[in-house]
Amino acid sequence: MSAEAATGAQTFVLGPVEQIPLGEGRAFAVDGGQVAVFRLRDGSLRALPAVCPHRGGPLADGTIDLGVVVCPLHQHAFDLATGCSTTGADNLSPYEVSTDEQRNLVLQVPV
Ligand code: FES
């Protein structure tokens, strides 16, 4: 489900936040692409493109802490808040993600 927002972003509701265990990520098909949503151990949420810019690894399957995700293929690391690689790979553009009153994941994708 999606809706155009006045901010120039499109909103996608991705279902209950509980589908992502604490400390893990999940990939979602969004608007013809793949977005990785991460639920950090402190309960906060982050979202990045799900395809690693190095060689296409699955970032949602990467290891996360409170600051970075490490790609499972060749261990490039990306700041979860900014998308910037801390290991010299290309940078990613983060998405805004939050929850609504029903604790559904709400993702904002720029249009
Ligand atoms: S594909 Fe992600 S580090 Fe190589």
Side-chain angles (χ1 to χ4, degrees):
M1 180 164 53
S2 70
E4 291 278 344
T7 58
Q10 203 170 4
T11 300
F12 293 87
V13 180
L14 303 178
V17 66
E18 285 78 16
Q19 68 192 297
I20 309 175
L22 283 171
E24 294 190 17
R26 288 285 183 275
F28 294 88
V30 176
D31 201 24
Q34 292 276 320
V35 174
V37 180
F38 301 94
R39 192 173 173 212
L40 310 192
R41 292 220 170 269
D42 67 0
S44 60
L45 297 166
R46 302 284 186 271
L48 294 173
V51 179
C52 178
H54 179 231
R55 290 196 197 159
L59 282 184
D61 296 339
T63 303
I64 63 169
D65 60 16
L66 294 179
V68 298
V69 55
V70 178
C71 179
L73 290 197
H74 314 98
Q75 285 71 52
H76 274 296
F78 301 87
D79 187 295
L80 285 164
T82 67
C84 292
S85 175
T86 61
T87 54
D90 289 344
N91 296 328
L92 295 165
S93 296
Y95 298 100
E96 280 187 43
V97 62
S98 59
T99 54
D100 64 14
E101 313 81 54
Q102 287 83 41
R103 292 192 50 75
N104 287 311
L105 294 164
V106 178
L107 184 78
Q108 307 286 336
V109 176
V111 290

